[in-house]
Amino acid sequence: MGMIQNDWLEPLKPEFKKPYYEKLYAKVKEEYSTNLIFPPADDIFNAFDFTPLSEVKVVILGQDPYHGDGQAHGLCFSVKPDVDVPPSLVNIYKELQSDLGCYVPNHGYLEKWAKQGVLLLNTVLTVRAHQANSHRGIGWEEFTDAAIRILNEQDRPIVFLLWGKPAQSKKSMLHNPKHLILTAPHPSPLSAHRGFFGCKHFSQTNEFLKEQGLSPIDWQIENR
């Protein structure tokens, strides 16, 4: 299991000493030794590693990692460049196209967003191959809730994009008046037509950032 190395480490350090985390660590270690688990162990904390706390401008909350072979690499909704773009991300790209005129790229690797301050955080950080939600309830939610609380306490504006009911359940933790919280249905094909399409979250995010004197996100993922 990789370790968080950057400025996330200090505020998250108390979590590593709590009883739930000891159990979580033991469980995850056992799962990796006995089952095929995604993402690869060194990628578990990539959301934190790619986007230092001091650079977070936007938070997108996912649920648990993709459970197909080679898909998950630690950033929610993102896949490695040589992997087919999953349906939810296809719909995110469609909304970006209608909202901001971005073209739909030929891959689903979202590192460019993460490097601009978009924290792509799943609430559960591991999953058994081909078994969605198989690591729900083993302790990850407590850990990522701690990260969400840390973000809520930041004394600067951050945009939270909460798509779908599990992400929206975190809204009660976000009460800092400096932040902007936007909610919409999940971009999954099952629910995107219920209001994710047309939510204009990407343009609203950029307008808010500019109003706060911050540079907007360049949401265009380029073809490779």
Side-chain angles (χ1 to χ4, degrees), residues 144-149 152 169-176:
T144 54
D145 277 0
I148 293 165
R149 278 193 291 273
N152 176 63
S169 73
K170 308 299 181 185
K171 191 175 176 182
S172 61
M173 300 168 64
L174 303 170
H175 39 72
N176 184 330

Side-chain angles (χ1 to χ4, degrees), residues 139-152:
W140 280 127
E141 294 92 342
E142 199 164 338
F143 181 76
T144 54
D145 277 0
I148 293 165
R149 278 193 291 273
I150 290 162
L151 289 159
N152 176 63

Side-chain angles (χ1 to χ4, degrees), residues 17-157:
K17 297 179 182 131
K18 291 182 180 174
Y20 87 85
Y21 194 86
E22 285 175 30
K23 282 185 200 160
L24 169 64
Y25 185 86
K27 175 70 174 168
V28 169
K29 207 170 167 184
E30 178 200 339
E31 284 283 293
Y32 272 94
S33 63
T34 54
N35 294 284
L36 180 57
I37 305 298
F38 299 131
D42 286 347
D43 290 346
I44 291 174
F45 294 117
N46 271 356
F48 301 101
D49 291 339
F50 280 40
T51 313
L53 176 59
S54 58
E55 294 174 19
V56 175
K57 292 178 176 177
V58 182
V59 180
I60 298 179
L61 276 185
Q63 210 167 338
D64 69 336
Y66 293 126
H67 54 83
D69 294 332
Q71 290 181 306
H73 67 100
L75 305 182
C76 74
F77 293 109
S78 179
V79 289
K80 290 277 182 71
D82 53 349
V83 174
D84 289 346
V85 179
S88 293
L89 184 52
V90 168
N91 287 339
I92 290 169
Y93 284 161
K94 283 181 185 169
E95 175 58 22
L96 263 172
Q97 189 172 37
S98 88
D99 186 12
L100 290 174
C102 296
Y103 68 81
V104 175
N106 58 7
H107 67 95
Y109 189 52
L110 304 180
E111 179 193 28
K112 178 181 174 182
W113 294 358
K115 295 295 190 190
Q116 293 179 82
V118 181
L119 181 70
L120 297 166
L121 182 65
N122 280 313
T123 52
V124 174
L125 300 187
T126 54
V127 68
R128 273 191 197 177
H130 319 302
Q131 295 180 44
N133 290 319
S134 46
H135 282 178
R136 187 166 57 190
I138 67 169
W140 280 127
E141 294 92 342
E142 199 164 338
F143 181 76
T144 54
D145 277 0
I148 293 165
R149 278 193 291 273
I150 290 162
L151 289 159
N152 176 63
E153 289 160 9
Q154 296 304 297
D155 189 25
R156 64 178 199 277

Side-chain angles (χ1 to χ4, degrees), residues 152-206:
N152 176 63
E153 289 160 9
Q154 296 304 297
D155 189 25
R156 64 178 199 277
I158 297 174
V159 184
F160 291 83
L161 304 183
L162 306 181
W163 299 334
K165 286 200 172 68
Q168 287 167 25
S169 73
K170 308 299 181 185
K171 191 175 176 182
S172 61
M173 300 168 64
L174 303 170
H175 39 72
N176 184 330
K178 293 196 169 181
H179 301 331
L180 174 66
I181 297 149
L182 299 174
T183 62
H186 196 275
S188 139
L190 300 172
S191 53
H193 60 280
R194 294 191 203 129
F196 178 77
F197 291 137
C199 70
K200 300 198 178 299
H201 279 187
F202 302 103
S203 57
Q204 288 185 67
T205 294
N206 279 354

